[in-house]
Amino acid sequence: MATLKEVAERAGVSQSTVSRLLNDSSFSIKEETRRRVLRVCEELGYRNVFRPAIAVLDAPPSGEELQDVYFADLRKVLAECAESMELDPPASIRSIHELTERASEFDGFITMGATVFPEADLRALHAVLPHGVCIDTNPAPHLFDSVRPDLSQTMLDALDAMIATGRKRVAFLGGVGSIMGTHDYPEDIRELSFRQWATHLRLETDGLVYSSGTFTVENGYRLAEQLVSDHRGTNTMPDGLIVAADVLAVGALQALNALRVAVPDELAVVSVNNQSIARYTSPSLSSYAIDQRELARMAFSTLIDGLKHERRGRRLLVHDDCGVRVHLERRGRAERADAALHGLRDRLGLARAEREQHEVAGLEHRADALRDAVGRHLVDVVVVLGEYEYIRVRAAAWWCM
């Protein structure tokens, strides 16, 4: 085991400074010096006292409600993970410039969100705070570590699921995103992976990839509407659809319901993220989970390991084998009607938990009207998810004729 003298020499302070820091909670010392001494204690195995000061660079794109829910969930998971690992609560920083200016306050940082930072800003941050881990994206692989979901494997899993249920023409619906580093490409990693795996599996992709615009409900509606317009009149409709994210899939389901495309009988739909909203769409949205808890745990562990051993350059992928709801089998009309009614009951139950009774009564009135209105296919149901804004869900009611 290291000695007090060795710790002091490595940290560049006196032995008395080390001793007082470890044994006198009222001892006043510069924060930077305190963190350096504690880090050396951890490195040399003198005492397990290193509690790094960690910042979270919280700069996700704003403006889309369901994306906001995803990042709100991730913020909560990061805080819970820090507590479970007995770390100090991470400080939330809203811009890369603020983090650069306050670099001396922190040992390292974690980023969340898909905001693309200029390369000059990333290099300036690295010069003053070299230890960082990026969640979900890899904006500077030569400067910082990253922990990301294995979306390439998820695309292969989704294609395998489609093939296993007899789907032979599988389309893709996505948006524009950055792939790696500071490079902006028109393709997202999910689109690239879909094209690659579809080619290996000998599936046709010509005219079946719809990937443009932002990750919003409105864009998902627009892309699905375009897909149906392009293929329904020529009898070339796909029988499977993989959507890059739940936020797009909600819009796509709205469009498919409005255009009377039976899901999953006529078109099976599977998405990525497994957000809570996926449970309240009708028909149920099949969605592959992104394990946010494992992403957070790996981010903290990678950052702390890098701080202890002065190591950088790790790029880790996390794959979730369990968190997926897949409902791709074709169903009869009776089953569809029963599923639609169960979905409506679920939404009413959620409303009872979140809203005043008079608003619940309004939803119950709509349910009664649906039961009596043979031939009516759509009803708007307002769903409230916790503290977040209203999300309007287009619920299909397929009735036996």
Side-chain angles (χ1 to χ4, degrees):
M1 179 181 289
T3 65
L4 184 68
K5 180 180 179 181
E6 289 172 332
V7 171
E9 289 177 349
R10 174 78 71 86
V13 297
S14 66
Q15 293 183 51
S16 62
T17 297
V18 177
S19 178
R20 291 189 64 187
L21 175 62
L22 298 180
N23 298 294
D24 183 359
S25 59
S26 64
F27 180 55
S28 178
I29 188 174
K30 288 184 178 179
E31 180 64 21
E32 187 176 354
T33 304
R34 184 189 71 84
R35 294 203 309 270
R36 185 172 71 250
V37 172
L38 296 181
R39 186 186 303 175
V40 170
C41 287
E42 183 78 15
E43 291 173 355
L44 298 182
Y46 185 71
R47 285 194 194 177
N48 185 20
V49 293
F50 180 49
R51 293 170 69 94
I54 298 173
V56 173
L57 178 53
D58 185 359
S62 61
E64 174 49 53
E65 197 165 34
L66 295 186
Q67 278 189 316
D68 290 345
V69 171
Y70 173 82
F71 290 115
D73 289 343
L74 184 54
R75 290 184 201 102
K76 180 179 178 182
V77 168
L78 282 168
E80 293 173 347
C81 190
E83 182 179 6
S84 69
M85 297 176 71
E86 298 184 345
L87 299 170
D88 292 332
S92 179
I93 305 295
R94 302 299 295 182
S95 77
I96 191 171
H97 301 294
E98 180 187 355
L99 181 57
T100 302
E101 292 172 359
R102 297 177 56 185
S104 61
E105 301 176 28
F106 305 107
D107 295 295
F109 68 93
I110 292 172
T111 70
M112 55 170 281
T115 298
V116 178
F117 300 110
E119 184 174 6
D121 291 346
L122 291 167
R123 290 190 178 278
L125 176 60
H126 181 265
V128 293
L129 193 61
H131 293 282
V133 179
C134 306
I135 295 180
D136 278 339
T137 61
N138 197 0
H142 55 299
L143 299 178
F144 304 114
D145 296 337
S146 65
V147 178
R148 295 174 292 147
D150 190 353
L151 295 175
S152 177
Q153 181 64 46
T154 299
M155 288 298 102
L156 177 58
D157 291 346
L159 284 167
D160 284 342
M162 290 288 184
I163 293 171
T165 56
R167 314 291 170 163
K168 297 180 180 179
R169 280 179 58 80
V170 183
F172 177 85
L173 191 153
V176 175
S178 59
I179 297 173
M180 185 177 290
T182 55
H183 306 290
D184 266 334
Y185 295 97
E187 301 92 356
D188 174 82
I189 186 64
R190 285 155 287 197
E191 178 189 342
L192 290 177
S193 299
F194 172 84
R195 290 183 183 273
Q196 175 187 1
W197 290 122
T199 299
H200 285 316
L201 296 170
R202 297 181 180 179
L203 295 174
E204 181 183 354
T205 60
D206 290 345
L208 294 175
V209 175
Y210 291 79
S211 190
S212 64
T214 56
F215 283 81
T216 63
V217 173
E218 291 75 15
N219 193 44
Y221 192 103
R222 179 185 66 83
L223 292 172
E225 198 173 41
Q226 185 63 52
L227 182 151
V228 175
S229 175
D230 290 347
H231 295 282
R232 177 175 266 177
T234 58
N235 293 321
T236 59
M237 273 287 290
D239 53 9
L241 176 63
I242 297 175
V243 187
D246 289 349
V247 65
L248 289 170
V250 169
L253 285 178
Q254 291 178 355
L256 296 173
N257 285 332
L259 295 168
R260 308 290 175 84
V261 177
V263 178
D265 295 25
E266 184 180 350
L267 181 66
V269 179
V270 66
S271 180
V272 178
N273 276 11
N274 201 15
Q275 289 180 246
S276 56
I277 186 63
R279 294 193 295 270
Y280 304 107
T281 59
S282 180
S284 297
L285 175 61
S286 301
S287 187
Y288 285 85
I290 290 178
D291 191 340
Q292 291 184 329
R293 195 162 299 278
E294 183 62 12
L295 287 174
R297 188 189 69 80
M298 290 298 298
F300 281 116
S301 297
T302 300
L303 179 59
I304 293 170
D305 184 69
L307 288 168
K308 288 181 179 179
H309 304 291
E310 290 296 327
R311 177 215 44 75
R312 293 184 297 278
R314 281 188 176 178
R315 294 183 284 278
L316 306 178
L317 296 177
V318 175
H319 183 61
D320 187 349
D321 292 319
C322 303
V324 58
R325 288 189 298 270
V326 180
H327 310 288
L328 303 181
E329 298 292 343
R330 293 178 171 86
R331 300 173 298 174
R333 278 180 172 267
E335 292 175 285
R336 293 201 302 270
D338 185 63
L341 285 173
H342 274 87
L344 185 57
R345 291 190 192 104
D346 288 343
R347 281 186 289 279
L348 286 169
L350 182 68
R352 288 190 182 97
E354 300 289 347
R355 303 300 294 167
E356 297 296 330
Q357 186 60 37
H358 72 276
E359 296 188 47
V360 172
L363 286 175
E364 290 175 333
H365 176 74
R366 291 192 180 197
D368 292 337
L370 269 176
R371 294 188 186 96
D372 297 334
V374 176
R376 176 177 293 182
H377 296 283
L378 297 176
V379 59
D380 285 338
V381 179
V382 174
V383 180
V384 178
L385 297 179
E387 61 184 306
Y388 307 114
E389 296 296 321
Y390 295 105
I391 299 172
R392 186 167 292 277
V393 178
R394 190 68 86 164
W398 301 97
W399 300 95
C400 300
M401 297 298 186

